[in-house]
Amino acid sequence: MTQPRLQIALDKTDLPSALAPQIDIIECGTVLVLAEGLRAVREIRALFPDKAILADIRIAEAGKLLSQMAFEAGASLVSVVAGASMNTVKQVCAVAAACNGEVQIELSDEWYDAAKARAWRASGAQHVIVKRSRDREAAGDLSWGADDVARVDELAAMGFTVTITGGVTPADLPTFAGHPVGIVIAGRSIVAAKDPLAAAAELKQAIAQVWPS
Protein backbone atom coordinates (compact mmCIF):
# COMPACT_ATOMS: atom_id res chain seq x y z
CA MET A 1 0.00 0.00 0.00
CA THR A 2 1.31 3.44 -0.96
CA GLN A 3 2.40 5.63 1.94
CA PRO A 4 0.25 8.75 2.37
CA ARG A 5 1.68 12.15 1.54
CA LEU A 6 1.74 14.89 4.18
CA GLN A 7 -0.08 18.15 3.47
CA ILE A 8 0.24 21.22 5.68
CA ALA A 9 -2.65 23.69 5.91
CA LEU A 10 -1.60 27.31 6.28
CA ASP A 11 -3.64 30.24 7.52
CA LYS A 12 -0.66 32.57 6.98
CA THR A 13 2.12 32.66 4.40
CA ASP A 14 5.20 32.39 6.62
CA LEU A 15 5.93 28.67 6.31
CA PRO A 16 9.45 28.12 7.68
CA SER A 17 11.76 26.92 4.92
CA ALA A 18 13.10 24.23 7.25
CA LEU A 19 9.68 22.55 7.17
CA ALA A 20 9.62 22.19 3.41
CA PRO A 21 11.52 18.86 3.18
CA GLN A 22 8.96 17.26 5.52
CA ILE A 23 5.94 18.47 3.52
CA ASP A 24 4.62 17.04 0.26
CA ILE A 25 1.71 19.44 -0.38
CA ILE A 26 1.29 23.02 0.84
CA GLU A 27 -2.28 24.16 1.33
CA CYS A 28 -3.19 27.83 1.16
CA GLY A 29 -6.12 27.50 3.54
CA THR A 30 -9.50 29.08 3.10
CA VAL A 31 -8.90 31.58 5.90
CA LEU A 32 -5.58 32.60 4.33
CA VAL A 33 -7.06 33.09 0.86
CA LEU A 34 -10.00 35.07 2.25
CA ALA A 35 -7.58 37.31 4.14
CA GLU A 36 -4.91 37.72 1.46
CA GLY A 37 -6.56 36.75 -1.81
CA LEU A 38 -4.75 34.68 -4.43
CA ARG A 39 -1.63 36.71 -3.70
CA ALA A 40 -1.06 34.10 -1.00
CA VAL A 41 -0.89 31.36 -3.61
CA ARG A 42 1.52 33.41 -5.72
CA GLU A 43 3.79 34.02 -2.72
CA ILE A 44 3.87 30.37 -1.70
CA ARG A 45 4.53 29.33 -5.31
CA ALA A 46 7.44 31.80 -5.50
CA LEU A 47 8.90 30.51 -2.25
CA PHE A 48 8.41 26.81 -3.00
CA PRO A 49 8.44 26.39 -6.80
CA ASP A 50 8.78 22.60 -6.69
CA LYS A 51 5.98 21.85 -4.21
CA ALA A 52 2.40 20.87 -4.96
CA ILE A 53 0.13 23.70 -3.77
CA LEU A 54 -3.57 23.46 -2.98
CA ALA A 55 -5.69 26.61 -3.22
CA ASP A 56 -8.41 25.68 -0.73
CA ILE A 57 -10.99 28.07 -2.18
CA ARG A 58 -13.94 25.67 -1.77
CA ILE A 59 -15.61 26.47 -5.06
CA ALA A 60 -19.42 26.35 -4.90
CA GLU A 61 -20.25 28.06 -8.20
CA ALA A 62 -18.52 30.08 -10.96
CA GLY A 63 -16.30 27.04 -11.31
CA LYS A 64 -14.62 27.95 -14.57
CA LEU A 65 -13.65 31.46 -13.51
CA LEU A 66 -12.50 30.69 -9.97
CA SER A 67 -10.49 27.61 -10.90
CA GLN A 68 -8.82 29.44 -13.78
CA MET A 69 -7.80 32.24 -11.41
CA ALA A 70 -6.37 29.77 -8.89
CA PHE A 71 -4.38 27.78 -11.43
CA GLU A 72 -3.04 30.95 -13.02
CA ALA A 73 -1.87 32.05 -9.56
CA GLY A 74 0.22 28.89 -9.29
CA ALA A 75 -2.04 26.32 -7.65
CA SER A 76 -1.55 22.64 -8.42
CA LEU A 77 -4.93 21.68 -6.95
CA VAL A 78 -8.19 23.47 -6.18
CA SER A 79 -10.99 22.46 -3.84
CA VAL A 80 -14.71 22.23 -4.59
CA VAL A 81 -17.44 21.86 -1.97
CA ALA A 82 -19.48 18.67 -2.11
CA GLY A 83 -22.68 20.71 -2.42
CA ALA A 84 -21.63 22.27 -5.73
CA SER A 85 -23.68 21.34 -8.76
CA MET A 86 -22.35 18.74 -11.17
CA ASN A 87 -22.15 21.49 -13.77
CA THR A 88 -19.76 23.41 -11.51
CA VAL A 89 -17.68 20.29 -10.83
CA LYS A 90 -17.44 19.58 -14.55
CA GLN A 91 -16.36 23.17 -15.25
CA VAL A 92 -13.59 22.96 -12.65
CA CYS A 93 -12.43 19.56 -13.89
CA ALA A 94 -12.25 20.85 -17.48
CA VAL A 95 -10.14 23.83 -16.43
CA ALA A 96 -7.92 21.58 -14.29
CA ALA A 97 -7.31 19.25 -17.22
CA ALA A 98 -6.35 22.20 -19.44
CA CYS A 99 -4.01 23.58 -16.76
CA ASN A 100 -2.47 20.22 -15.80
CA GLY A 101 -4.02 20.66 -12.36
CA GLU A 102 -6.12 18.50 -10.06
CA VAL A 103 -9.48 18.78 -8.28
CA GLN A 104 -10.26 17.95 -4.67
CA ILE A 105 -13.84 17.56 -3.42
CA GLU A 106 -14.37 18.86 0.12
CA LEU A 107 -16.68 16.20 1.50
CA SER A 108 -18.95 16.60 4.51
CA ASP A 109 -21.34 14.06 6.01
CA GLU A 110 -24.48 15.97 5.14
CA TRP A 111 -23.50 16.15 1.45
CA TYR A 112 -22.34 12.57 0.95
CA ASP A 113 -23.99 10.47 -1.71
CA ALA A 114 -22.19 7.53 -3.29
CA ALA A 115 -23.81 8.00 -6.70
CA LYS A 116 -22.78 11.65 -6.77
CA ALA A 117 -19.26 10.70 -5.70
CA ARG A 118 -19.01 8.32 -8.64
CA ALA A 119 -20.18 11.16 -10.90
CA TRP A 120 -17.43 13.41 -9.49
CA ARG A 121 -14.86 10.76 -10.33
CA ALA A 122 -16.28 10.24 -13.83
CA SER A 123 -16.04 13.99 -14.38
CA GLY A 124 -12.32 13.95 -13.58
CA ALA A 125 -12.05 14.84 -9.89
CA GLN A 126 -9.04 12.97 -8.48
CA HIS A 127 -9.19 13.75 -4.77
CA VAL A 128 -11.80 13.69 -2.03
CA ILE A 129 -11.58 14.66 1.64
CA VAL A 130 -12.92 12.73 4.63
CA LYS A 131 -12.88 15.25 7.42
CA ARG A 132 -13.42 15.93 11.08
CA SER A 133 -14.54 19.54 10.83
CA ARG A 134 -13.62 22.42 13.12
CA ASP A 135 -17.26 22.63 14.16
CA ARG A 136 -17.23 18.94 15.08
CA GLU A 137 -14.07 19.46 17.12
CA ALA A 138 -15.57 22.52 18.80
CA ALA A 139 -18.53 20.37 19.83
CA GLY A 140 -16.09 18.05 21.58
CA ASP A 141 -16.19 15.19 19.09
CA LEU A 142 -12.57 14.23 18.47
CA SER A 143 -13.29 10.69 17.38
CA TRP A 144 -12.64 8.85 14.17
CA GLY A 145 -15.00 5.92 13.82
CA ALA A 146 -15.84 2.89 11.74
CA ASP A 147 -17.98 5.05 9.44
CA ASP A 148 -14.99 7.26 8.63
CA VAL A 149 -12.81 4.26 7.81
CA ALA A 150 -15.54 2.70 5.67
CA ARG A 151 -15.89 6.00 3.80
CA VAL A 152 -12.16 5.98 3.04
CA ASP A 153 -12.40 2.45 1.65
CA GLU A 154 -15.51 3.20 -0.41
CA LEU A 155 -14.07 6.33 -2.01
CA ALA A 156 -10.68 4.76 -2.70
CA ALA A 157 -12.46 1.88 -4.45
CA MET A 158 -14.05 4.47 -6.76
CA GLY A 159 -10.56 5.58 -7.78
CA PHE A 160 -10.11 8.66 -5.59
CA THR A 161 -7.02 9.65 -3.69
CA VAL A 162 -8.58 10.00 -0.23
CA THR A 163 -7.43 12.68 2.21
CA ILE A 164 -8.09 12.72 5.95
CA THR A 165 -8.13 16.00 7.83
CA GLY A 166 -9.41 17.66 10.98
CA GLY A 167 -6.91 18.14 13.79
CA VAL A 168 -5.01 14.99 12.80
CA THR A 169 -2.32 13.90 15.25
CA PRO A 170 -0.01 10.87 15.27
CA ALA A 171 -2.37 9.19 17.75
CA ASP A 172 -5.21 9.28 15.19
CA LEU A 173 -3.40 7.46 12.43
CA PRO A 174 -3.55 3.82 13.69
CA THR A 175 -7.34 4.00 13.23
CA PHE A 176 -6.67 4.00 9.48
CA ALA A 177 -3.96 1.32 9.43
CA GLY A 178 -4.35 -0.98 6.45
CA HIS A 179 -6.73 1.42 4.71
CA PRO A 180 -5.95 3.40 1.52
CA VAL A 181 -5.42 6.93 2.81
CA GLY A 182 -3.57 8.93 0.17
CA ILE A 183 -2.95 12.24 1.97
CA VAL A 184 -2.87 13.29 5.62
CA ILE A 185 -3.50 16.98 6.31
CA ALA A 186 -2.13 18.70 9.39
CA GLY A 187 -2.42 22.37 10.26
CA ARG A 188 -2.44 23.69 13.78
CA SER A 189 -0.78 20.55 15.18
CA ILE A 190 2.36 21.53 13.24
CA VAL A 191 2.13 25.27 12.61
CA ALA A 192 1.12 26.11 16.20
CA ALA A 193 3.57 23.69 17.82
CA LYS A 194 6.45 25.01 19.92
CA ASP A 195 8.78 23.19 17.53
CA PRO A 196 7.00 22.91 14.14
CA LEU A 197 9.88 20.98 12.55
CA ALA A 198 9.82 18.37 15.31
CA ALA A 199 6.03 18.12 15.07
CA ALA A 200 6.20 17.57 11.31
CA ALA A 201 8.94 14.97 11.69
CA GLU A 202 6.89 13.15 14.35
CA LEU A 203 3.85 13.02 12.07
CA LYS A 204 5.93 11.82 9.13
CA GLN A 205 7.40 9.09 11.33
CA ALA A 206 3.92 8.05 12.46
CA ILE A 207 2.78 7.87 8.84
CA ALA A 208 5.74 5.63 8.00
CA GLN A 209 4.96 3.36 10.94
CA VAL A 210 1.26 3.01 10.13
CA TRP A 211 1.82 2.60 6.38
CA PRO A 212 5.28 1.04 6.04
CA SER A 213 6.55 1.23 2.47
Side-chain angles (χ1 to χ4, degrees):
M1 187 173 293
T2 303
Q3 195 172 101
R5 290 177 288 169
L6 178 59
Q7 177 172 318
I8 189 166
L10 300 179
D11 285 337
K12 50 187 179 180
T13 56
D14 58 345
L15 175 67
S17 296
L19 271 178
Q22 299 287 341
I23 306 302
D24 301 301
I25 303 168
I26 302 172
E27 173 188 331
C28 292
T30 308
V31 172
L32 173 59
V33 175
L34 284 173
E36 303 290 342
L38 289 173
R39 180 177 67 84
V41 177
R42 295 186 185 93
E43 288 188 7
I44 294 295
R45 172 55 68 204
L47 289 169
F48 304 99
D50 298 324
K51 292 290 182 181
I53 297 173
L54 167 67
D56 188 18
I57 54 177
R58 303 190 188 189
I59 296 169
E61 57 180 14
K64 182 177 181 180
L65 176 62
L66 293 176
S67 57
Q68 187 75 50
M69 290 168 59
F71 288 124
E72 288 177 353
S76 312
L77 306 92
V78 296
S79 62
V80 180
V81 296
S85 70
M86 280 306 306
N87 185 50
T88 295
V89 173
K90 289 177 180 178
Q91 287 181 18
V92 176
C93 289
V95 172
C99 296
N100 197 30
E102 299 181 4
V103 178
Q104 179 186 74
I105 306 293
E106 181 92 9
L107 186 61
S108 56
D109 290 342
E110 60 267 28
W111 286 108
Y112 183 67
D113 177 84
K116 190 173 184 181
R118 284 190 285 271
W120 295 333
R121 186 69 191 98
S123 296
Q126 299 96 331
H127 302 264
V128 69
I129 286 178
V130 172
K131 69 184 296 185
R132 179 172 60 187
S133 70
R134 287 194 181 196
D135 291 342
R136 184 170 156 189
E137 287 184 77
D141 182 1
L142 298 177
S143 65
W144 290 100
D147 288 347
D148 297 309
V149 175
R151 183 80 37 92
V152 168
D153 291 342
E154 182 179 20
L155 291 164
M158 294 179 192
F160 287 105
T161 296
V162 183
T163 296
I164 57 170
T165 186
V168 175
T169 69
D172 293 314
L173 297 183
T175 298
F176 297 94
H179 297 274
V181 172
I183 299 170
V184 174
I185 301 179
R188 289 158 288 162
S189 64
I190 291 176
V191 177
K194 289 184 178 179
D195 186 342
L197 183 58
E202 180 184 8
L203 190 52
K204 286 282 280 189
Q205 183 179 25
I207 289 170
Q209 289 173 344
V210 173
W211 291 276
S213 55

